[in-house]
Amino acid sequence: MQIKKLTPGEISDVIEKIRKRYDEYIYKYFKPKILKGAFEDRYLDALRNNLDISSFLLAEISVIEELIRNEEERVAAVTVEPAQKEEKKTLADKVLEENRKKIEKYEDVFIHQDAREEIRKLLGALNELDVKYWGGLATILRNTPYSMNSITMINMEAQLRYLGNVTSEGVPQRLERYLAMLKAFPRDYHALDREEKEYILEVSFFLHDLLDLLVMVAEGYEEKKNFNKNDLDEIIKYISGIIVDFRLKDLKRKK
């Protein structure tokens, strides 16, 4: 029987469905992530070899659905006490869950449906820094060498806009390439991973640089009473919180 050819839009939908089913399979049944990677490799090979993508995807759907069905049957055949189920969580699972809870409080800024949660939340944290705290720095730094008209703070503000200011494209300038990669077909997942890591590193450098500057102001100019120290402490606490919550403590410039 001849298989109906899928449109490009249908192909994208089917591929995303397969990826999500692998994510469910890996997370729910504690399977290695390499299984999803193997699918990605088979998909790229199919593209390189000009295989019939419709037939390929139909076969791949059958594979993942069969894997899930086998696991469901295996679980149904064995009665496991709730406490035993909890023990099956690996240390890595628990760490991931704890990390996810730490960043829950930050705004989830939509970039793309497949954008990594950590990137969306980090963008939300920068957005809050801009909207809620940045304006107050003008008063705090007014009578210091780091006023908002200084080269240092002009550069800092430019970095914040570059990394965290949402444009008409829906993302800051620094994430425009990332968004383009997410929209590309087929996707280069290695390049996506590299882009995410580079963005996180740049944000971390910015936050550490800003935190160092504000701590220096707090320690060096407190006696002049040129600002409300509580306001400065609040900003320092917020920036420090981002660094801790997103595990950026060791990602700083070498001095």
Side-chain angles (χ1 to χ4, degrees):
M1 184 176 75
Q2 186 175 9
I3 297 174
K4 177 188 173 183
K5 299 294 183 183
L6 300 175
T7 66
E10 291 172 333
I11 288 174
S12 295
D13 291 341
V14 173
I15 290 170
E16 290 309 307
K17 176 183 177 182
I18 293 174
R19 285 174 180 147
K20 288 178 181 178
R21 292 296 275 166
Y22 268 106
D23 288 338
E24 294 168 7
Y25 177 66
I26 291 166
Y27 178 80
K28 187 173 181 180
Y29 299 110
F30 307 99
K31 299 297 182 181
K33 292 183 179 180
I34 194 173
L35 293 172
K36 183 179 179 183
F39 160 69
E40 300 292 353
D41 290 340
R42 291 195 299 273
Y43 173 53
L44 290 176
D45 285 341
L47 291 175
R48 294 190 192 103
N49 295 317
N50 294 318
L51 298 182
D52 182 345
I53 296 301
S54 297
S55 299
F56 167 79
L57 293 178
L58 181 61
E60 288 293 332
I61 289 175
S62 298
V63 169
I64 182 57
E65 294 300 337
E66 180 67 20
L67 289 172
I68 291 174
R69 186 160 50 250
N70 289 341
E71 286 297 322
E72 289 174 343
E73 292 174 356
R74 183 183 64 80
V75 172
V78 181
T79 301
V80 182
E81 294 298 322
Q84 291 176 298
K85 286 185 178 179
E86 187 64 27
E87 288 174 2
K88 285 183 177 291
K89 279 191 176 181
T90 65
L91 177 61
D93 292 325
K94 292 177 181 178
V95 170
L96 286 172
E97 189 173 337
E98 289 173 3
N99 290 340
R100 194 173 293 116
K101 286 181 179 178
K102 286 181 181 179
I103 64 175
E104 274 182 355
K105 60 191 173 201
Y106 298 99
E107 180 187 4
D108 193 335
V109 178
F110 182 80
I111 299 172
H112 184 278
Q113 62 184 12
D114 297 325
R116 181 174 163 187
E117 181 183 23
E118 188 173 4
I119 301 297
R120 303 194 313 263
K121 291 286 190 175
L122 194 52
L123 179 54
L126 291 180
N127 184 59
E128 185 173 351
L129 174 62
D130 182 16
V131 173
K132 185 175 179 180
Y133 296 103
W134 198 259
L137 284 178
T139 300
I140 292 171
L141 301 176
R142 182 176 51 203
N143 295 316
T144 75
Y146 304 102
S147 70
M148 300 306 282
N149 292 324
S150 69
I151 294 297
T152 298
M153 290 310 297
I154 289 174
N155 288 337
M156 283 285 186
E157 185 166 9
Q159 286 183 62
L160 178 58
R161 298 288 178 265
Y162 177 64
L163 294 167
N165 186 39
V166 177
T167 65
S168 58
E169 290 293 321
V171 294
Q173 185 180 352
R174 178 60 184 82
L175 287 175
E176 287 178 359
R177 184 170 55 188
Y178 179 58
L179 178 59
M181 288 179 175
L182 286 168
K183 291 180 177 179
F185 178 81
R187 288 179 185 162
D188 184 338
Y189 284 89
H190 293 295
L192 270 171
D193 182 63
R194 184 170 60 251
E195 191 72 14
E196 290 169 346
K197 289 177 180 176
E198 288 178 358
Y199 177 71
I200 291 170
L201 185 63
E202 287 182 40
V203 171
S204 183
F205 283 177
F206 164 74
L207 292 173
H208 278 289
D209 289 347
L210 179 59
L211 181 61
D212 288 347
L213 185 152
L214 296 181
V215 169
M216 183 170 57
V217 169
E219 295 174 349
Y221 296 90
E222 181 180 359
E223 72 280 358
K224 296 185 179 180
K225 305 297 181 184
N226 288 325
F227 53 82
N228 185 326
K229 188 172 184 299
N230 289 334
D231 291 342
L232 180 56
D233 287 345
E234 183 181 356
I235 299 174
I236 289 174
K237 181 180 178 181
Y238 178 72
I239 297 170
S240 299
I242 299 174
I243 290 171
V244 171
D245 292 339
F246 287 88
R247 308 175 310 287
L248 306 176
K249 184 178 178 180
D250 297 322
L251 297 179
K252 57 176 71 175
R253 299 183 198 277
K254 294 182 179 179
K255 298 186 178 181

